[in-house]
Amino acid sequence: MKKKWFKGILPLVILAIGFGGMTVIKASGEEEENKEPVDTRPTVKIETAIAEDYQVRITSYGEVKPLESTMVSAQVSGEVLTWHPNFVPGGLVLRGDTLFTIELYTYEAALLQAEADLSLAQANLIEEQARAEVAEREAKGSRVSDLYLRKPQMLSAQASVKSAQARLKIAQRDLENCTIKAPYDALVISRDLGVGQYVNQGSQVGILYNIESAEVTFPIAGFDREFLPNDITQQIATIRTKGYNAIVREGMVTRDLGIIDQSTRMSQLVVKIEDPYGLKSSAPPLKFGHYVEVSFAGKTLNQVYRLPQELVNNRIIWLLDEEQQMQPQRVEILREEGAYFLISEGLQNQDKLVTTLPEYPQKGMKVKIAEPKEDLVVQKSL
């Protein structure tokens, strides 16, 4: 009896389950129809390209060197009496400072002797002038020889005076040369003398570097040469050292060395730095031997675009057209400056430049634009 009852209700249970399943499937279908379509377009950021006039910055590197150096020599022979306390390697001396002195008694005596010789020669000349006047009065217009008129004796006496004057000047100079002075503000590189030492005339006793000005000679590559200003002289340059406490000084481009290196094909320019050791100002000292960066203004390029290098791949950039589709565009790179390229052709004002590319960008790919926080433009940084 129970089996018959179970067999009779089983079809009803199956129908109920089937009806319930159909109801669930229909409800799920209606829910899927009510869902909004998913936007699978990648999101990108864009910037507006704007052409600007851009002044090129020429950058190179070189070593700070003295404008001139001097090998200090003794101009007279004698015993060294004193030397300046700063006349030691690394010392700084000013123009006109006495570097060292030489015993001068011998040269004082020579000066007195020269003065005496001059006085004697002048006295002889006065005597000969008097004798010549007497001879001329005695002749009274008669035809007489030059010897009678004592003209040869007069010339000899005049020559003796000039010779004595020359010896006097030499003696004065030798006496002055017993005191050797610094020819300019200088850094002492070496000193080779001491008190009591006998030095000979012409012997080298030290080396000085001029610190009133310094120079940096730096190379200019061929790709930079065409961007140099027409007149490079009097161009203000910035000189900068590397490191945590970088030293920044100002100099001036003074000249082109006028040759192109046969091996590197580079030309050489020279920048001059006044008072490199900061003796006459509060500027930080720029020591000889520093390796520095030199930069100065080059030509101004008209209507170019300055783009970060990561946006340019094999001279291709990506633009966004009016239908928000990505399009590749070939550009002409005029110059590389740091992390940027200067673009001369391939872009137009108001072009929409894609700055964040999808993983696999394709021509005609539809994208959506991220909402910018502020308007950005690609232009020269002034």
Side-chain angles (χ1 to χ4, degrees), residues 215-233:
E215 288 187 338
V216 179
T217 301
F218 56 95
I220 296 295
F223 57 80
D224 274 336
R225 201 175 302 135
E226 60 180 308
F227 297 104
L228 291 174
N230 295 328
D231 183 10
I232 63 167
T233 60

Side-chain angles (χ1 to χ4, degrees), residues 4 22 51 97 107 109 111 117 137 140 167 171 178 195 261 284 304 336 373:
K4 290 182 179 180
M22 290 295 293
D97 282 352
Y107 300 100
L111 178 60
D117 292 343
R137 284 197 302 269
K140 294 181 180 179
R167 290 194 297 273
C178 289
V195 174
D261 188 272
V304 295
E336 175 184 345
K373 295 181 179 179

Side-chain angles (χ1 to χ4, degrees), residues 335-348:
R335 177 178 171 81
E336 175 184 345
E337 283 215 346
Y340 294 87
F341 284 135
L342 300 181
I343 307 299
S344 59
E345 297 180 9
L347 270 174
Q348 295 182 356

Side-chain angles (χ1 to χ4, degrees), residues 29 99 104 150 167 197 199 231 250 257 263 265 310 367:
L99 299 178
L104 46 75
R150 304 191 65 83
R167 290 194 297 273
Q197 178 180 341
V199 293
D231 183 10
E250 188 177 273
L257 293 186
S263 58
R265 308 309 302 170
E310 62 265 19
V367 295

